[in-house]
Amino acid sequence: MTADAPPPARPATLEDVAAVAGVSRATVSRVINGATTVDPALRRMVEEAVGATGYVPNRAARSLVTRRTDSVALVVSERERRPVSEPFIGRMFSDPYFGRVVSGLLEVLRPAGIQLVLMLADDRSSRDQLLSYLRHGHVDGVVLISSHADDPLPGLLHDTRLPAVLAGEPRRPTPLTYVEADQRAGAQLAAEHLVSLGRRRIGTVSGPQDMPAGQARLTGFLDALSAHGIRDVTAVEGDFTHTGGAAAMKRLLHDRADLDAVFIASDLMALGALPVLLRAGKEIPDDIALVGFDDSSAATACDPPLTTVRQPVEEMSAEMARLLLKQISSPGEPVPSAIFHPTLVRRRSA
């Protein structure tokens, strides 16, 4: 006679986790469902109990109850047919900014068990597909990176009533929450630094003037120089890309050969501009002091390393994720926007 096989082990339940953690079933449920209002000490106790019991949430069943997908979309909206040499997707993945955004978002979303879905919108067709996807409830919320001032997507996104946070203050008024660095103040830091070095023959490679960040950085820089009596400033518009920075610097040197300082409105453009200056026989910083913007990996890839204005992109992106989770967990409650303050990082280029 053979012995009966032992019954299979019973899967751990919420009650088991609650018993181990010494808290109520309701508290366990709130932690499992990603509520942001749970006391951190209680949250740690529940998480440790989950590990000890081997509890595995039934996400399919939970989604039926909570009507949540445990995923949010990172939407990158770009003006269609922008006249630059690199395709949209190629620019996105080559720009250090986007990697920093994703890193900051995942720092908050991954511990909460939230998946990040990347979606691109660079023409009307892709925008319509995006809105259809969002309206069908495939994600719980949206982080939107919009690259141009007249983008209709923030307004259309608001109409979906989905929780949403914008990366950057929108040009048009909108009820949507946003997270921004003070772009004007950052450009003013660059101007004040160049003036403090005694530079007076100053030029700038600006960002695109159809983008709020490009507009704010140029205006802040020019206003700060004007306050010091420096109004003869040559400006050439760039496109926030490596190749665009090189092309813009060639035009700037052609228009103003006697430059002794240049503010370049993104580190990636500065990385493209620096070889142009060196080939023109300019010593950095002796002949031309150079200041960038972002404090991205491109700044330390420059030779000499780039003095730059730091906007804390990772911290800003983490805050976007936190604000989005607050909207998801507490629908209808107002969530204020957040503005971060840039700082100047001095290196050897100025």
Side-chain angles (χ1 to χ4, degrees):
M1 178 181 295
T2 58
D4 291 336
R10 176 178 64 83
T13 65
L14 284 180
E15 287 76 9
D16 296 329
V17 176
V20 171
V23 300
S24 69
R25 184 186 188 282
T27 297
V28 174
S29 179
R30 290 168 62 206
V31 172
I32 295 298
N33 287 315
T36 58
T37 55
V38 180
D39 181 88
L42 289 179
R43 181 181 298 279
R44 283 194 297 273
M45 291 168 59
V46 171
E47 290 171 346
E48 290 173 0
V50 167
T53 60
Y55 174 74
V56 178
N58 185 334
R59 294 193 176 274
R62 193 181 80 177
S63 66
L64 291 174
V65 175
T66 63
R67 297 186 181 275
R68 294 183 189 169
T69 65
D70 289 332
S71 62
V72 299
L74 171 59
V75 176
V76 183
S77 177
E78 166 83 342
R79 176 185 291 280
E80 52 187 310
R81 296 184 296 278
R82 180 182 292 282
V84 295
S85 59
E86 300 175 56
F88 175 33
I89 294 178
R91 291 200 311 281
M92 188 182 71
F93 286 110
S94 64
D95 190 333
Y97 172 79
F98 293 102
R100 297 174 70 192
V101 169
V102 171
S103 177
L105 292 173
L106 291 179
E107 179 183 332
V108 173
L109 296 177
R110 289 182 66 183
I114 306 297
Q115 301 299 314
L116 187 64
V117 180
L118 175 63
M119 306 192 72
L120 311 179
D122 60 345
D123 56 29
R124 181 172 181 175
S125 174
S126 60
R127 190 164 59 238
D128 290 344
Q129 290 175 2
L130 166 70
L131 291 170
S132 175
Y133 183 86
L134 298 179
R135 290 186 181 115
H136 279 83
H138 294 296
V139 295
D140 299 324
V142 176
V143 172
L144 174 62
I145 299 175
S146 177
S147 69
H148 54 286
D150 58 353
D151 189 354
L153 196 51
L156 295 171
L157 183 57
H158 176 255
D159 292 342
T160 69
R161 305 303 178 190
L162 266 177
V165 178
L166 303 183
E169 182 177 3
R171 178 72 179 272
R172 297 174 178 175
T174 173
L176 296 180
T177 299
Y178 64 86
V179 174
E180 175 67 290
D182 190 334
Q183 306 290 330
R184 285 177 57 92
Q188 288 167 355
L189 289 175
E192 296 290 344
H193 179 62
L194 292 175
V195 170
S196 74
L197 297 176
R199 309 297 171 122
R200 292 295 183 272
R201 301 185 305 277
I202 301 174
T204 180
V205 174
S206 77
Q209 292 305 289
D210 64 341
M211 295 178 64
Q215 296 167 354
R217 293 177 195 180
L218 178 60
T219 302
F221 184 69
L222 295 179
D223 286 350
L225 291 180
S226 180
H228 288 280
I230 302 174
R231 298 178 178 85
D232 182 20
V233 180
T234 303
V236 173
E237 185 175 352
D239 60 12
F240 283 155
T241 71
H242 180 277
T243 54
M249 182 53 70
K250 289 178 183 178
R251 298 197 303 274
L252 185 58
L253 283 178
H254 178 270
D255 294 343
R256 187 78 183 269
D258 67 338
L259 290 171
D260 65 4
V262 178
F263 167 54
I264 302 183
S266 83
D267 295 344
L268 195 60
M269 288 198 298
L271 185 61
L274 188 56
V276 174
L277 291 170
L278 297 177
R279 285 195 296 270
K282 305 294 185 181
E283 294 288 336
I284 309 297
D286 295 343
D287 298 328
I288 295 182
L290 203 60
V291 176
F293 200 109
D294 284 330
D295 195 28
S296 69
S297 58
T300 53
C302 290
D303 186 16
L306 188 65
T307 293
T308 186
V309 176
R310 182 177 189 271
Q311 54 173 346
V313 175
E314 291 86 354
E315 293 92 328
M316 292 163 61
S317 301
E319 182 66 8
M320 285 191 286
R322 283 189 286 266
L323 295 178
L324 185 61
L325 292 182
K326 285 183 181 179
Q327 292 185 39
I328 293 170
S329 63
S330 304
E333 292 188 11
V335 176
S337 298
I339 298 179
F340 285 70
H341 299 288
T343 55
L344 184 75
V345 179
R346 295 193 61 175
R347 297 191 179 97
R348 291 194 287 116
S349 70

